Amino acid sequence: MKAIKLILPVVFVVMFSMSCKKNILDISPQDKLAEDAVWSDPKLIEAYHNELYGSQVHGFNVSMAYSKYTDENFNSLACCGGDLFKLNTYTPDNVGQLGATIGDFWATSNGYLYNWNFAYQYMRKINVFLEKMSTTTVNLPNKARMIAEAKFLRAFLYFNLIERYGGVPIVDKVYQMDSQGTFKRNTFEECVTFIAKDVMEALPDLPAKYASNDANYGRATGDACKALLSRTYLYAASPLFSPTKDVQKWQKAADAAEALLNSGYALYPDYQKLFETKQGDAQNEIIYSRGFSATNGHNAPMDHLDRRYGANGGWWGSSGPTANLVDSYDMANGIQPYLPDGTINPLSGYDPQNPWANRDPRLEATVIHDGTVFNTAAAVAGAPPAYEKWVSEDGTTFGFDSYKKTGDNPRTNTVMKKFMPSTGAINSATPQTNQWPFFRLAEIYLNYAEAKFELGDEATAREYVNKVRSRPGVNLPGIPVTVTGEALRQRIYNERRVELVFEGHRFFDVRRWGIATTTENAKIYGFDVIKNVTTGVKTYSKIVLLDKTGTFQAYKSLLPIERNELRRNPQITQTKDWPQ
Amino acid sequence: MTLKSKVMLRAWTVLSKKSVVATSIATVALINISSAYASLPGIENFNTTALLQQQNVTITGTVTDETNQPMAGVSVTVRGTSNGVVTDGNGKYSLTVPNNATLTFALIGYQPQDLPASNGAVINVKLVPVQTNLDEVVVVGYGTQKRETLTGSISRVKGEDLTKNQAVNVTTSLAGRLPGLVVNQRNGVPGSEDLNIVIRGSSTFGNNNPLIVVDGVPRGTGILSTLNPQDIESITVLKDGSAAIYGARAANGVLLVTTKPGARGKTSYNFSYVYGITNPTKIPDMMDAALFSEVVNETYSYLGRAPYKSAAEIQKYRDGSDPILYPNTDWADVSLNRNTPQKRLNFQASGGSDKVRYLLSFGSASQGSNFKNQPYKYNQYNSRVRIDADLSQYLTVGANIAGVFTQRSAANGTDFSTTLQANPTLPAIYPNGLLAGGRFDNSPLLSDRRGYQQWKDDPITTTFTASFKVPHVNGLVLDASYNYDLRNQFQKNFSQPHYWHVYNPNTKNYDRIASTSPIQLTDRYDRWITTLTNVRLSYRTTIGKDHNIAAMVGAEQQRNSNTYASATRRNFLTGALPQISLGGTRPEDYGNAGNASAGAYNSYLGRFNYNYQSKYLLEFAFRSDGSTIFPTYNRYGFFPSASAGWVISEEDFMKPVQFVNTLKLRASYGELGNDQVGQFQFLQTFDFGNNYVFGGSTVPGIFSTVLSNPNIGWEVSKKLDFGLSATLFNRKLDVDITVFNQRRSNILRQRNLSVSAVNGFPKLPEENIGKVNTSGFEVDLTHRNKVGQVSYSVTANVAYAKSKIIFMDEVPPAFAYQANTGMPLGSGLYYKSDGIFNTQAELDSYPHVAAAKLGDVKVLDLNNDGKITGDDRYITNQSPTPLYVFGLNTSLQYKGFDLTLFFQGQADAFVNDAIVDEFGLEDLDNAPVYRATNRWTVNNKEGATMPRANNLLPGGATDFFLYDATFVRLRNAELGYTFSGDLMRKISVKGLRVFVNGTNLLTWAKQIKYRDPELANQSYLNYPPLKIVSFGVNLQF
């Protein structure tokens, strides 16, 4: 017994000391990969490369905010970064809020409009990849193609930067914490040259295109390079970036577009369905797109449709196409409903009490309005087949889809239709897979038309605008040869507005054309649909939803750099003409 | 243990149990009797000469104090009668009493003693002072110390004080109890109160949370918050360098929680039941439909839009003539449950023999929902078994095993923000009883139709200890402990389509509307494991007569790991069976996630104490910590501390100073670390994710989120403390004063403010670059006295701590007034407000931002460049961390009654209420009446005290809404009555006490009156703390 008493403590001590480990601190990360592992494994290098495509910001991810920041859409409720862009109140002090959550400067989740941080973070990722590839000994079967794709992505990122800020610092090497760079802005021209250089270096190692059902569809292609060059040169020649109206620049823009005119693309016969196609669907118009899958989808309908579909409601679902946009569509006879002075063109046949009748078919494909029948299967129980947006004269009764019913139905009394699924379920658990078009043939036609017009070749300009207008299923009459000069330019501008609506062009187009001082100082209109409940007659009128008069000055055409960024790097100058 | 000390121990146990009866407080029993360091006060002797007189007997004797000095003025009474005398100048008394009487010996400041007269004709009594701070045995890191020889800045609260607070979360009861400890409750969601604990204010840019050690193991706020308060013996806070024994995790201070051991002797049972009624402390008064509509109309007029509601419509909201189409809904009123019950039950059994001591404890708490339909609920069951057994005269082993079983549920999307911000012009309940959808069809009243969220969180903590007194080496003890904590949490989120009704004015019917959202279920399973092994060798001896030495060295290893897995299924055919296997079958109906992490510490520690005659005190302590957070070549940090004390009252020259009982000066210095940063920042790592799609199929991606910092190391805190402790005026007054200074350096901070974004770095790693100094003081006063039959005590503490940024990586400011450096931590950047633009002339003549209108806040052009830009913002020196925190505890006893009032508060804390600033926005959120009252409108210009609806921010916050968050709160009030007398004895009840308690009954706030001021820099949209009125009974037998 005594022996046990003496042994017991020894046993305890031995047990305790055995439970101690010498190497207890040797723990490697359980949920992360160490860097060495990445660059020695072809599968992981591919995965790193795949992620670089995340730099391609698409319109679905921030609920097509570009549209809300223009005269295309009006958001009844406050939205998205304090409405700085809707109200033109962005300044160097608040613009950074759009790139990141307030207080979390390095957040990369948004990076949509103020994309400075986002773009340069991806720039570094791409530069890391290119540096690693220059020294790697890992056997990669598609190495040349992967490098070329990375260069295209870098060029596209630079385009995203220069359309926002003008000239920006060109960074083509990798910096570390202990070897930070000091940066200053390169000129806009230098940036354009850099984009062109990246694109030209990428071209030889890329296939011209992938078939729309190819597993690689969505990767950078030679045609995507050419399309990017076309847009870049078009911007470079535009008044904002070329105040001297350098004809050579327009020539470059025309040449770049021309290179794609006969590359085997064709306008898709159904304008509405084009924006419902997903990667893998047969189509021959989209040159380069971002794809989605069932496990990696987007949810744009929940952000843009209204209460009829039980959409998220509130901040996003209350966005509707403006009356300003609706007015910009021609009549089916090819005549514009409004004269330049804002009065109704009596020759057009436009009836303001029936604004949807006899219009450009693209209007019906783009905008839901009172009386529209759309994806009835997905609507909530009790919804009538056709949209009912009316309100009675005394305001006490109203249609199922009226703004009176809920503030989440857009006050414009219109709803987005383009990009929205006309069939299939619409709810937050159903991922949408229709693709986001970055470049498509219609844009190339319009780029070409615009450049040719500025070069004085009105006939070619008219020809290519008319190609867009005569798309099967649209079949608008061409612009008459009698329309010339400034009037023709306005028609080209208008065609671009209508054809490319909601695709993220308008915000930048009005700025590069120099017409933002007009469009951004305009009143934003919606529709009132008043119904006499006894006669059933509906009366249309327009209602001012937002008066932006005086809010936009020319210097706001380019975004300011966040004030803190200027302090961090005094060599970077503020965007031209911004105060201070 | 010698035979003599065993006898004394038994006597002490008996006596202390009686005092338990007398004070009816369960937890007065021996503090740390099992501790090797505890001193054992006792009575001098019993004169056991039996004089078995049947009638009266004359008792005589002498009453002495613990130093054997005779005590005058001690009352000696026959219990239950007024028969009594007072001792004379020599401590002598003489009293004739019935033979079976019980004598009570009492003097203020001393523990009363009851002794049966049958013990003899001569009863000499030694009175023991009631425990004052100086006599406490205090738990310090890896051991205990007597407060009188303590040299560190250490505060302690006893478990019994914590039971005065009836909130289910025990952490809330710490507020104001410990000088220097700041506890703020950021919301009151049952079971997930967001409690912010800091010690001596903020002192780092990073994580300021103290290390929370429960029974020797870092167990965090999660375990602390779910402890049964009845199980807590004491909570000690190490505030100064003496915390260096906890090394790399001690810089923010250490909270040591000790649970109760079993008591020797016959089993005693303790039962308590408390029934409480809870209500939110303060619900902001929100605008009604008419006022709301007027405000939105103002907004629309500023935007050039047609009115939101016509005057006729607003009149209908106001007069309530059409409750169907023009309702006036008070969403808080219809959604909240008044007087929600809360129940708490505890049962403890404690006892043992000389060789084995045990404590069995069971507790349950249930908290109902303050919302209708019970979306928020919380149930907690605590159980604890503690056994200590002396296996031999050398070896003692113990086990302390506790399980907490919690169930928490919350609503999908119902909270205070959806309730308070809901548009009051929307109906909630139609007059016929049908429920409407509410804002975003998210009416809180639909919460039981939308699904639920549930958590079942079951942490189990186990501690096994062994203590071996090495034979033949007196004072040498080997201690070891092994701890294994396992926490499993199961979470279920279920959402399902719900329906509501909408009145259709066309058909005059109520249409039943169903949401189209699919049925979706997520199950998530989390598992955390912490193991900690600790071995310590300690030695105590006295050399000669005067040199007392104690030394301890030890080693400790800790390993933490965590894994989780979750699965999601969508598009269930039916909501009847929310089981994961029954969901939809398309690929997009499936989802899953999971992760794992692990970390470890390897530590060596030691402490050396020396004192000469308990007069001159010295202590050295150290810890060497190795952590997986840091790279191999920088893995170990060494954290030393030294402290000294001088007990002046032991000096001969102090003996004549009668009013000083004890007086001690102390000083300490220590270097401590803080490692609360992300793991593996020294490696460049990659995460999986950001997948892309090619050809309609997803391809995997990897990316790095954080740049690596190969040189990452410890944050170091150098703490210097000076203190004075005194007991004065015959122990009626305790004073404890501490001043401190802390220099925090190598603060881990992202260098994101000077690094150009053009470098393109991902999120920057933390680097050891920040420097912050903190200084302040703490004063703790206790006064106790007895006036007539009323005995009372007042304890007051106040703490002041102010931080100052010495270095941070900030954007080189354009103007000196924008520098953070030199300012307190947490100071914000604001425009300086200067009233409201009232007239066009004023607007025209003042610099303003382009979109500013009449009714906006006027801000000063600080740099006088004629423009309002970001350069006109200044850094305020007003921080959201309070400069002062204080507590005042008053307790009174009169016969069987006892009354406790505990006030607690803070001063000089400033918070920017950006939410109350938002008003009349286009998103149609409701706002408090406070913000609407006397706002600027075109008809109320001159006298306006609030800006217009939809007011414009000049590009950032203005100090217009920077509020002083000073408040004082009656945190606890408790009135109790203890039954005593023969009846209780006959039914073998040792103690029966009933009480009524109020928690958070009254609050006085200096500026923030529209909401609970403790929600601090959060907003009025948070779940407020609860006001609880409770009734309880406590029974001991």
Side-chain angles (χ1 to χ4, degrees), chain A residues 307-323:
Chain A
R307 267 314 157 93
R308 167 176 281 254
Y309 299 99
N312 291 341
W315 306 277
W316 295 334
S318 59
S319 152
T322 62

Side-chain angles (χ1 to χ4, degrees), chain B residues 981-1029:
Chain B
D982 293 341
L983 178 64
M984 293 294 127
R985 270 194 299 281
K986 268 182 202 156
I987 58 173
S988 297
V989 169
K990 291 186 202 159
L992 173 63
R993 178 170 176 267
V994 292
F995 62 90
V996 54
N997 178 298
T999 295
N1000 293 334
L1001 277 189
L1002 301 169
T1003 303
W1004 174 86
K1006 188 173 177 186
Q1007 277 190 352
I1008 302 176
K1009 299 179 194 293
Y1010 55 93
R1011 61 166 166 92
D1012 190 282
E1014 195 174 349
L1015 294 175
N1017 44 354
Q1018 308 295 315
S1019 71
Y1020 64 84
L1021 300 176
N1022 281 7
Y1023 204 124
L1026 297 177
K1027 178 189 290 189
I1028 310 169
V1029 177

Side-chain angles (χ1 to χ4, degrees), chain A residues 5 8-9 12-13 16 19-22 24-35 38-39 44 47-48 50-51 53-54 56 74 76-78 83 86-87 89 93-94 105-106 116-117 120-122 124-125 169 171 175-177 180-181 183 214-219 279 289-296 307 309-310 313-315 378 380-381 390 396-398 400 404-405 408 426-431 438 543-547 563-565 567-569 572 580, chain B residues 303-306 313 325-326 391-392 395 397 439-441 464 466 468 478 480-482 502 505-506 512-514 516-518 520 533 535 557-559 570-571 586-588 595-602 626-628 635-636 680 683-703 705 707 750-764 767 811-814 818 831 851 865 867 869-871 873 922-924 955:
Chain A
K5 282 182 180 174
L8 260 176
F12 273 103
V13 170
F16 276 111
S19 68
C20 295
K21 296 193 187 90
K22 269 184 189 162
I24 190 166
L25 298 182
D26 291 345
I27 293 175
S28 48
Q30 313 277 297
D31 57 343
K32 295 168 189 296
L33 294 165
E35 186 171 27
V38 171
W39 296 112
L44 293 176
Y48 182 96
N50 290 339
E51 201 271 338
Y53 273 88
Q56 311 283 286
F74 174 74
S76 307
L77 303 183
D83 270 352
K86 179 171 115 187
L87 303 171
T89 52
D93 295 312
N94 62 21
F105 182 78
W106 297 94
W116 184 270
N117 304 342
Y120 278 110
Q121 284 182 7
Y122 266 104
R124 184 172 184 275
K125 289 181 185 181
V171 181
Y175 294 95
Q176 303 291 353
M177 276 304 281
Q180 290 177 39
F183 306 98
D214 193 295
N216 283 315
Y217 189 86
R219 289 188 183 276
Q279 287 190 350
S289 72
R290 178 159 184 165
F292 297 90
S293 71
T295 52
N296 210 333
R307 267 314 157 93
Y309 299 99
W315 306 277
V380 296
W390 55 269
T396 58
T397 58
F398 38 79
F400 185 85
K404 278 267 186 185
K405 180 165 168 179
D408 308 327
I426 300 176
N427 57 50
S428 54
T430 301
F438 288 116
I543 176 171
V544 175
L545 297 176
L546 182 65
D547 186 351
R563 185 176 304 273
N564 280 345
E565 177 67 11
R567 297 221 181 106
R568 284 188 283 265
N569 200 336
I572 293 180
Q580 299 184 63
Chain B
L303 293 172
R305 282 159 68 175
E313 288 175 310
L325 287 174
Y326 296 92
L391 297 188
S392 74
L395 183 64
V397 295
R439 181 163 195 235
F440 304 155
D441 304 330
F464 303 96
F468 179 61
L478 182 66
S481 76
Y482 177 74
V502 174
N506 307 325
R512 185 181 192 275
I513 308 291
T516 60
S517 56
Q520 177 168 327
T533 311
V535 183
Q557 287 192 340
Q558 184 183 345
R559 194 180 152 91
R570 296 174 201 92
N571 294 313
R586 300 175 302 165
E588 56 264 42
N595 208 343
S597 67
Y601 292 95
N602 190 34
S627 163
T628 46
R635 192 155 267 174
Y636 281 85
F680 299 117
L683 288 176
Q684 181 64 64
T685 56
F686 289 82
D687 290 336
F688 287 89
N690 286 3
N691 301 339
Y692 201 76
V693 173
F694 292 127
S697 301
T698 301
V699 293
I702 57 168
F703 63 103
T705 49
L707 203 63
Q750 286 173 5
R751 198 183 278 279
N752 54 6
L753 290 170
S754 68
V755 178
S756 169
V758 181
N759 284 296
F761 298 138
K763 192 177 164 201
L764 294 179
E767 294 179 81
V811 176
Q818 293 196 332
Y831 287 94
D865 66 350
K867 287 180 290 221
T869 67
D871 284 342
R873 290 175 296 176
E922 292 172 89
D923 56 12
L924 303 181

Side-chain angles (χ1 to χ4, degrees), chain B residues 131-370:
Chain B
Q131 279 203 334
T132 65
N133 286 341
L134 288 175
D135 296 311
E136 287 171 20
V137 173
V138 177
V139 177
V140 297
Y142 303 96
T144 56
Q145 284 183 355
K146 283 165 75 175
R147 184 170 277 273
E148 62 183 11
T149 59
L150 207 57
T151 48
S153 298
I154 292 171
S155 303
R156 172 178 179 274
V157 62
K158 286 181 280 184
E160 70 193 63
D161 291 331
L162 304 182
T163 61
K164 299 278 186 203
N165 189 307
Q166 296 305 332
V168 169
N169 186 328
V170 73
T171 311
T172 61
S173 60
L174 296 178
R177 292 286 180 187
L178 292 151
L181 186 75
V182 185
V183 179
N184 275 134
Q185 184 171 358
R186 300 310 194 197
N187 75 52
V189 177
S192 62
E193 296 87 353
D194 178 14
L195 286 150
N196 183 24
I197 306 178
V198 293
I199 293 172
R200 290 180 167 175
S202 299
S203 44
T204 173
F205 303 105
N207 193 326
N208 277 292
N209 295 339
L211 178 68
I212 293 172
V213 176
V214 181
D215 286 328
V217 183
R219 279 172 170 150
T221 42
I223 293 294
L224 172 62
S225 292
T226 55
L227 280 178
N228 180 350
Q230 301 280 2
D231 289 353
I232 298 176
E233 175 86 12
S234 71
I235 295 181
T236 308
V237 182
L238 311 182
K239 294 179 282 194
D240 66 345
S242 67
I245 198 90
Y246 285 102
R249 288 168 282 177
N252 297 331
V254 182
L255 221 62
L256 298 174
V257 183
T258 311
T259 59
K260 281 181 192 166
R264 283 170 211 265
K266 216 176 124 191
T267 309
S268 72
Y269 303 94
N270 188 337
F271 169 83
S272 69
Y273 179 77
V274 186
Y275 181 88
I277 293 166
T278 69
N279 282 298
T281 47
K282 178 93 182 168
I283 298 166
D285 191 11
M286 304 302 282
M287 296 192 288
D288 66 10
L291 178 57
F292 174 82
S293 304
E294 286 169 1
V295 167
V296 178
N297 279 354
E298 289 164 28
T299 295
Y300 279 22
S301 75
Y302 302 138
L303 293 172
R305 282 159 68 175
Y308 171 64
K309 303 283 180 185
S310 68
E313 288 175 310
I314 291 174
Q315 182 52 35
K316 287 184 190 170
Y317 287 123
R318 187 164 281 130
D319 61 25
S321 56
D322 184 353
I324 297 176
L325 287 174
Y326 296 92
N328 177 16
T329 305
D330 181 341
W331 283 98
D333 193 53
V334 298
S335 308
L336 296 179
N337 240 353
R338 306 290 167 179
N339 302 328
T340 306
Q342 162 180 315
K343 284 162 259 181
R344 203 160 193 152
L345 180 133
N346 283 290
F347 186 72
Q348 269 185 348
S350 173
S353 66
D354 274 357
K355 302 236 171 182
V356 179
R357 300 160 298 283
Y358 61 84
L359 176 120
L360 304 171
S361 169
F362 172 78
S364 80
S366 75
Q367 203 175 346
S369 173
N370 297 96

Side-chain angles (χ1 to χ4, degrees), chain A residues 385-506:
Chain A
Y387 263 82
E388 293 192 14
K389 293 233 156 245
W390 55 269
V391 175
S392 70
E393 284 166 332
D394 62 0
T396 58
T397 58
F398 38 79
F400 185 85
D401 305 291
S402 161
Y403 72 95
K404 278 267 186 185
K405 180 165 168 179
T406 159
D408 308 327
N409 287 337
R411 182 60 185 90
T412 53
N413 275 328
T414 55
V415 181
M416 275 182 80
K417 192 180 198 178
K418 187 171 173 177
F419 290 115
M420 298 298 132
S422 58
T423 57
I426 300 176
N427 57 50
S428 54
T430 301
Q432 301 294 326
T433 55
N434 54 326
Q435 59 197 325
W436 178 259
F438 288 116
F439 297 103
R440 59 186 178 95
L441 182 63
E443 183 207 340
I444 303 298
Y445 281 170
L446 291 169
N447 291 353
Y448 188 59
E450 186 180 335
K452 278 294 187 186
F453 170 82
E454 299 294 348
L455 287 168
D457 185 353
E458 294 196 352
T460 308
R462 207 176 282 113
E463 178 193 345
Y464 278 87
V465 169
N466 291 344
K467 275 182 194 282
V468 173
R469 292 165 67 88
S470 61
R471 172 197 299 270
V474 174
N475 293 321
L476 272 190
I479 293 170
V481 290
T482 51
V483 179
T484 60
E486 183 56 32
L488 180 56
R489 178 185 280 130
Q490 293 308 323
R491 295 298 291 264
I492 294 170
Y493 285 1
N494 198 64
E495 199 61 39
R496 197 173 171 96
R497 173 183 194 178
V498 165
E499 171 69 23
L500 302 179
V501 65
F502 307 149
E503 290 177 54
H505 291 272
R506 180 75 176 165

Side-chain angles (χ1 to χ4, degrees), chain B residues 365-418:
Chain B
S366 75
Q367 203 175 346
S369 173
N370 297 96
F371 278 95
K372 285 181 183 160
N373 301 329
Q374 302 286 317
Y376 291 94
K377 270 185 294 192
Y378 183 64
N379 288 313
Q380 177 179 315
Y381 304 92
N382 290 77
S383 64
R384 180 177 294 274
V385 178
R386 177 160 177 181
I387 295 173
D388 294 285
D390 302 331
L391 297 188
S392 74
Q393 70 181 107
Y394 302 118
L395 183 64
T396 302
V397 295
N400 186 350
I401 298 168
V404 186
F405 309 97
T406 68
Q407 285 180 16
R408 177 161 69 89
S409 40
N412 275 336
T414 293
D415 54 23
F416 269 82
S417 59
T418 55

